[in-house]
Amino acid sequence: MNPFRQEALNVLSRHTGLDPEKIDAVLERPPKSELGDFAFPCFQLAKELKKAPPQIAEELAEKVAGELELLTEARALGPYLNLFVNREEFARSVLHAPNALADGFGNSSEGEGKVIAIDFSSPNIAKPFHVGHLRSTIIGSTLYRIFASLGYECVGINHLGDWGTQFGKMVCGLKHWGEEKDLEDLDALNALYVRYHEEEEKNPELADEARDWFRRQEEGDPEAIDLWKKIRETSLDYFKVIYERLSVRFDHYTGESFFNDKMDAVVDRAEELGLTSVSDGAVVIDLEPHGIDTPALLRKADGATLYMTRDLAAAGYRQKTYKFDQLLYVVGTAQSLHFRQLFKVLELMEESWAEDCSHVNFGLVQGMSSRKGNVIYLEELLDEARNRARDYMSANVDKRPELEDEEAVAEAVGIAAIFFSDLSKQRIKDYNFSWERAISFEGDTGPYLMNAHARIAGIIRKCGIEVDPEADVSLLQEPSAHNLVSLVSRYTEALREAARTYEPSILAAYLLDLARALHSSYKELRVKGEEEKLASARLLLFAVVKNILAGGMKILGIRPLEKM
RNA sequence: GCGCCAGUAGCUCAGCUGGAUAGAGCACCGGAUUUCUAAUCCGGUGGUCGGGGGUUCAAGUCCUCCCUGGCGCGCCA
């Protein structure tokens, strides 16, 4: 805890008789920075003391006044006692931190020794990556970076949907209407898949044929396996191009197929524990006694395994292999039931770590039709974003610096807009996709953050002096400067809260606040042409803000550019 | 029908474990650039926090009922 807050707790504890822990729980931040740095609500004391809260606040203010060191003032404001930090000391403690200008300032090591495994993105092989697949990728990769910044060892897992009856359908389609070279063409494969479904409507017997292909695949039939391998390869090559463009990386591509030989053991174990029963020929686990109406299916009547079986095998494998402290499944909320079942079954199978698994769910993205009326493919969205960014840049060309690589900037701005529009909302909310919202450059957007960063870069480049890490920051007297310092000091808290709740939007909102504070103070806190010591103090403040912005933006998947 | 989730300004969203006059962005209106990026800033219009009841000194936040919307509900993933 920072020493300023600590002093507030101590002083208040002394005069109220309450434990510092108790005060810590109620001590809040005033809604506006003019109202001070800490606020102590006096309502609860009112009962015990039988006095009105404002009177208690008044009395506390008087008692506390003589005992402040790092705090400079205690002021009663209605029922609150508000405390103000000594701004000079505060600025020094924040801006003169040894690593204030270093990479990773504000990161922490609190997660050291702990492993967080994150299952995210996990697209289905042989299907194009459309905008609906994007959320898991964006949220999952961001959580990965959030936890990593807090010192956790992260394991990013792409649990590819590379096994299942959809392959039977695909192969069935290929056999009827496709040819050899289609195996290397994802568009062709997708068309075959679509065609299969159309034909199946007319001719339901195709479903049996498809099921049979998948069964052969599960039995290791050489032809079925060979076809599957080629399809998988083609899809994976395509996914990797996309991940590259999004700067998303995985530690493991252990898809569903990886667990083929590990599933019998899971079913056997469930049977040994007496959890299973046979219902209409299928092996199921009844979960009704545990408050879940729908049973978990481990084996179909034809003996084939299911999603649940593979997820059970995968969870066990992950625990054994990565020894995770937490396992996060970044998967849409539509699959909530599946994960409730999964976690309950793990518990019934006496896996002590079942409680370490969480479904990090997110809302549905709706209305993702392109202008042509089809689903929007991710490339289409990324290209459109880049094009709009480029148009924006050329329309405002006189206001911007010369860029070495216009295309790269346009691409970065486009991706920032897309990532941020997703990350700035709470995960749980559904939303209707709209081009305008997904690709917007003004206001609360990714490019707004980038702009704040680039503006500071401009100051550093042009102000004529060098950043001095030891600048006399006691000269930073303006409220707007103090506000910035205060925000900087809260970065780690934002990271921590985002991690605790698996909610990247908390970091996004924080960065927006910081960027807004920067933009608002920009005119007031001039550097260039000011008296040297003052200029130097402001420059250091901006440099540290830039450092925090850059770190936070990278976590959100946004490139902090020096010029844009 | 049952279950889970959501409902805050015209639109998109914030609102920490209940606490100060419910805040941003977009849109709209009016201003700001000889000076470090106007992808910006400053000001204005705009709110029965879905509805009723309850708990509390205090409810957008907790409980309950209802309304609306989304998703899910055994051999798909």
Side-chain angles (χ1 to χ4, degrees):
Chain A
M1 181 179 312
N2 78 60
F4 299 87
R5 188 176 176 93
Q6 190 65 59
E7 180 174 314
L9 299 186
N10 292 344
V11 150
L12 286 168
S13 174
R14 218 174 300 144
H15 290 285
T16 60
L18 299 170
D19 290 347
E21 292 79 33
K22 202 160 184 189
I23 294 172
D24 191 33
V26 298
L27 193 67
E28 49 192 277
R29 194 167 49 242
K32 287 177 182 167
S33 56
E34 309 92 84
L35 296 175
D37 300 286
F38 306 107
F40 179 67
C42 300
F43 306 99
Q44 288 176 12
L45 284 175
K47 263 188 224 165
E48 301 169 31
L49 302 177
K50 300 205 166 59
K51 288 182 196 167
Q55 193 190 344
I56 297 170
E58 290 284 355
E59 290 174 11
L60 271 177
E62 277 176 40
K63 287 188 205 162
V64 157
E67 302 178 11
L68 302 177
E69 293 174 15
L70 293 172
L71 301 176
T72 182
E73 190 189 348
R75 194 187 302 165
L77 285 163
Y80 292 87
L81 178 68
N82 288 11
L83 301 165
F84 293 72
V85 300
N86 178 322
R87 293 188 172 183
E88 299 179 8
E89 289 297 335
F90 187 62
R92 266 194 283 272
S93 84
V94 174
L95 302 177
H96 286 174
N99 55 348
L101 295 171
D103 268 1
F105 178 51
N107 288 3
S108 105
S109 56
E110 63 201 65
E112 237 164 63
K114 294 209 176 108
V115 177
I116 310 278
I118 309 178
D119 174 331
F120 67 100
S121 194
S122 307
N124 284 324
I125 294 284
K127 289 190 192 170
F129 204 102
H130 66 76
V131 179
H133 295 124
L134 190 56
R135 287 203 91 183
S136 175
T137 310
I138 291 180
I139 293 169
S141 61
T142 301
L143 286 174
Y144 184 109
R145 291 183 294 260
I146 287 172
F147 277 101
S149 73
L150 292 171
Y152 293 86
E153 182 190 330
C154 295
V155 182
I157 304 166
N158 197 335
H159 189 64
L160 293 168
D162 63 357
W163 199 257
T165 40
Q166 82 267 24
F167 270 93
K169 294 175 182 177
M170 181 121 252
V171 171
C172 185
L174 184 78
K175 284 287 174 186
H176 282 274
W177 315 288
E179 44 189 326
E180 184 77 24
K181 68 173 170 42
D182 291 344
L183 282 168
E184 285 161 31
D185 179 349
L186 194 76
D187 288 335
L189 286 171
N190 187 48
L192 287 169
Y193 189 73
V194 170
R195 172 134 186 218
Y196 167 87
H197 280 283
E198 288 166 4
E199 300 278 347
E200 198 204 76
E201 297 256 318
K202 290 177 271 178
N203 181 9
E205 283 165 25
L206 278 171
D208 295 331
E209 200 179 315
R211 250 194 300 278
D212 194 54
W213 271 110
F214 179 55
R215 187 189 52 74
R216 285 174 66 181
Q217 196 179 310
E218 287 223 288
E219 285 168 2
D221 174 271
E223 186 187 1
I225 291 292
D226 181 56
L227 289 169
W228 166 76
K229 272 189 180 161
K230 283 176 177 156
I231 293 170
R232 185 180 190 275
E233 196 62 28
T234 299
S235 296
L236 208 49
D237 287 348
Y238 160 83
F239 290 147
K240 285 185 173 167
V241 171
I242 291 198
Y243 290 137
E244 185 66 28
R245 195 165 171 191
L246 301 177
S247 307
V248 169
R249 283 174 193 77
F250 295 91
D251 300 297
H252 302 284
Y253 280 86
T254 42
E256 300 186 334
S257 65
F258 181 80
F259 299 101
N260 282 339
D261 57 355
K262 301 170 182 64
M263 287 191 284
D264 287 345
V266 171
V267 180
D268 290 349
R269 168 111 175 110
E271 285 172 343
E272 275 167 31
L273 289 166
L275 299 171
T276 60
S277 55
V278 176
S279 168
D280 296 330
V283 178
V284 306
I285 297 179
D286 181 17
L287 296 173
E288 210 161 346
H290 306 95
I292 301 174
D293 293 339
T294 314
L297 269 77
L298 300 193
R299 228 184 252 292
K300 299 199 266 190
D302 67 3
T305 58
L306 289 138
Y307 187 37
M308 179 62 69
T309 332
R310 287 189 282 278
D311 263 3
L312 284 166
Y317 171 84
R318 290 168 183 176
Q319 173 55 32
K320 208 174 301 164
T321 310
Y322 311 129
K323 298 184 174 47
F324 59 75
D325 293 277
Q326 288 186 62
L327 170 59
L328 310 183
Y329 292 90
V330 184
V331 180
T333 200
Q335 291 186 46
S336 289
L337 176 60
H338 169 74
F339 286 103
R340 276 177 62 213
Q341 293 178 316
L342 176 65
F343 301 157
K344 181 55 75 179
V345 171
L346 288 171
E347 194 187 313
L348 294 174
M349 291 177 74
E350 296 167 7
E351 302 292 6
S352 59
W353 43 267
E355 61 188 21
D356 302 326
C357 301
S358 305
H359 178 202
V360 177
N361 59 341
F362 54 84
L364 219 68
V365 186
Q366 301 181 95
M368 293 172 308
S369 51
S370 70
R371 294 188 188 78
K372 287 161 277 171
N374 306 316
V375 289
I376 304 163
Y377 294 167
L378 187 55
E379 294 106 307
E380 190 187 345
L381 180 66
L382 297 178
D383 290 348
E384 178 71 15
R386 185 183 53 208
N387 292 342
R388 290 198 192 192
R390 198 193 304 109
D391 290 348
Y392 197 104
M393 288 159 67
S394 40
N396 299 288
V397 70
D398 51 320
K399 295 171 187 159
R400 293 181 302 97
E402 286 219 358
L403 301 174
E404 290 86 31
D405 188 345
E406 300 258 347
E407 260 324 90
V409 171
E411 170 83 358
V413 169
I415 287 179
I418 290 166
F419 267 59
F420 196 86
S421 79
D422 212 324
L423 292 171
S424 58
K425 306 174 211 340
Q426 290 181 41
R427 304 181 329 251
I428 194 86
K429 305 258 171 126
D430 291 347
Y431 70 86
N432 290 308
F433 177 83
S434 115
W435 287 96
E436 287 64 41
R437 257 177 270 138
I439 310 172
S440 162
F441 304 138
E442 292 177 3
D444 288 354
T445 64
Y448 179 85
L449 300 182
M450 297 176 88
N451 184 228
H453 182 270
R455 269 182 123 166
I456 302 177
I459 294 173
I460 293 174
R461 220 166 36 238
K462 297 178 185 173
C463 68
I465 58 174
E466 296 290 311
V467 175
D468 173 9
E470 319 225 309
D472 179 5
V473 293
S474 69
L475 299 171
L476 298 172
Q477 294 292 340
E478 298 82 357
S480 62
H482 176 251
N483 190 32
L484 278 170
V485 174
S486 175
L487 277 162
V488 166
S489 77
R490 298 206 297 264
Y491 174 69
T492 312
E493 193 185 309
L495 282 178
R496 202 175 282 140
E497 188 60 12
R500 190 180 70 77
T501 56
Y502 312 129
E503 192 58 88
S505 66
I506 288 171
L507 180 59
Y510 165 84
L511 290 174
L512 225 32
D513 280 345
L514 183 59
R516 216 191 316 278
L518 179 278
H519 277 130
S520 303
S521 66
Y522 174 84
K523 280 201 172 122
E524 186 184 10
L525 305 179
R526 266 197 80 74
V527 176
K528 194 176 180 182
E530 297 294 316
E531 185 276 321
E532 197 180 321
K533 281 193 162 174
L534 182 62
S536 187
R538 288 175 176 175
L539 185 62
L540 176 60
L541 170 62
F542 284 144
V544 174
V545 169
K546 174 172 178 280
N547 195 25
I548 291 286
L549 270 175
M553 288 163 67
K554 282 187 215 160
I555 288 174
L556 296 187
I558 296 172
R559 280 181 61 196
L561 301 174
E562 296 295 305
K563 293 181 185 177
M564 66 183 281

